[in-house]
Amino acid sequence: MKKDNVIKIIFVIIMIAAIIFAAKYISNLNTTSLEEHEFYQYFGGRKVEYTGSLEISKENNGITNLQMEDVKIELDSTPIYYKDIENKMLLPQDMAIVFPLDKGTMKRVNHFWTVQLESNIPYLQYEKSKQLVENAFLFDGKDLYIFLEPTTLIVGEERYELSPLSYAKVSYRQSVEIYQKQEDTYTTIEDANYGNVTAQTEDYEINLSTDSLKYQEKEQLLLKKIDVLPVLEFEN
């Protein structure tokens, strides 16, 4: 009996240790610290800059928070740009990456991954893993699109030439927000009741109003439930 009790106690101790380890592991996945960098974001057309050490954490309820000294900011999917590293951004929330030339394949890009241009070629990176992602764009499943290659955005009769790492937010028939990364300019168009907003490259077209993709004479709706998508696997 004593031996059985000892085995049970050891089993309980191992289970508790495993639970603590798993909880710590998950917590580490959902928290990232950014040391001594300069960053910026746009909120409603207003540029907000961060300097120094930041901690970004994703809560169990899906909310992502940024902690800077005594200031706590709730984040949406709007990317955080590095100010002191050229052409690099961090993704605060999970997003879909869409490959129009690969039959519109969609994968999930996890929160806290970064995107950086190297010789105008976009790479996804997390810790030491790195992946080339050409002919693709990012979508948050709601109204935000991040462009990874030169893209023409068409709003009514106006055309906006966007550099890689630019983005657009479209609230159907309400407003359009456009961030041009290369020029660091933000444009907000209110009362956007002028039909569909589209983004065009040489090979495909995105309808940002209806969240649909047209490529190779085919058209498909974009999946909005990001959490059901398989995670993009790094090849190296």
Side-chain angles (χ1 to χ4, degrees):
M1 289 295 294
K2 290 185 178 180
K3 184 176 180 181
D4 290 340
N5 289 335
V6 170
I7 293 174
K8 289 178 180 178
I9 292 172
I10 293 175
F11 177 76
V12 170
I13 292 174
I14 292 174
M15 288 299 296
I16 292 173
I19 291 171
I20 293 173
F21 176 81
K24 186 175 181 180
Y25 177 75
I26 292 172
S27 175
N28 289 338
L29 285 178
N30 288 329
T31 303
T32 186
S33 296
L34 305 171
E35 303 292 339
E36 303 304 325
H37 281 287
E38 296 181 13
F39 306 90
Y40 69 90
Q41 265 185 314
Y42 276 88
F43 292 100
R46 184 171 65 93
K47 189 174 185 177
V48 178
E49 299 186 6
Y50 314 115
T51 301
S53 299
L54 306 179
E55 182 176 278
I56 305 176
S57 58
K58 188 174 178 66
E59 309 293 341
N60 292 332
N61 57 11
I63 294 175
T64 301
N65 294 309
L66 181 149
Q67 185 79 40
M68 180 178 60
E69 297 180 348
D70 296 329
V71 179
K72 190 174 185 179
I73 302 171
E74 186 176 316
L75 301 175
D76 57 14
S77 55
T78 304
I80 299 173
Y81 292 90
Y82 285 73
K83 187 177 179 181
D84 56 348
I85 301 178
E86 188 175 6
N87 291 324
K88 184 175 182 179
M89 65 162 64
L90 180 139
L91 305 174
Q93 295 191 3
D94 296 354
M95 296 192 73
I97 184 165
V98 186
F99 297 93
L101 304 189
D102 185 18
K103 300 179 181 179
T105 297
M106 299 179 67
K107 301 283 187 177
R108 187 170 81 245
V109 172
N110 284 334
H111 54 280
F112 308 153
W113 290 15
T114 61
V115 185
Q116 185 170 13
L117 296 181
E118 297 180 12
S119 301
N120 289 322
I121 298 174
Y123 289 86
L124 274 169
Q125 188 167 358
Y126 181 69
E127 295 181 342
K128 294 183 180 180
S129 299
K130 186 175 178 180
Q131 177 67 44
L132 169 68
V133 283
E134 289 186 293
N135 300 312
F137 63 90
L138 297 168
F139 174 50
D140 73 344
K142 299 175 183 176
D143 53 17
L144 175 69
Y145 290 81
I146 300 175
F147 308 109
L148 304 182
E149 57 186 316
T151 302
T152 300
L153 189 73
I154 303 173
V155 185
E157 297 181 356
E158 298 294 327
R159 301 172 70 91
Y160 300 85
E161 300 300 328
L162 304 183
S163 63
L165 305 192
S166 299
Y167 67 80
K169 288 183 178 181
V170 177
S171 298
Y172 186 57
R173 296 190 182 278
Q174 295 181 32
S175 65
V176 180
E177 299 177 44
I178 307 165
Y179 175 59
Q180 219 295 12
K181 174 63 176 66
Q182 187 173 39
E183 299 174 0
D184 190 24
T185 57
Y186 202 98
T187 303
T188 301
I189 306 169
E190 301 289 352
D191 300 322
N193 189 13
Y194 33 64
N196 293 328
V197 177
T198 59
Q200 297 179 350
T201 70
E202 293 182 356
D203 301 302
Y204 57 88
E205 178 180 306
I206 314 164
N207 188 321
L208 285 68
S209 300
T210 61
D211 300 320
S212 60
L213 171 66
K214 184 183 292 184
Y215 61 97
Q216 299 173 350
E217 300 183 354
K218 298 179 182 179
E219 191 167 355
Q220 72 177 61
L221 291 174
L222 298 175
L223 187 64
K224 296 185 178 183
K225 296 191 68 173
I226 306 299
D227 57 337
V228 304
L229 294 172
V231 178
L232 178 72
E233 295 184 2
F234 289 98
E235 295 179 357
N236 57 341

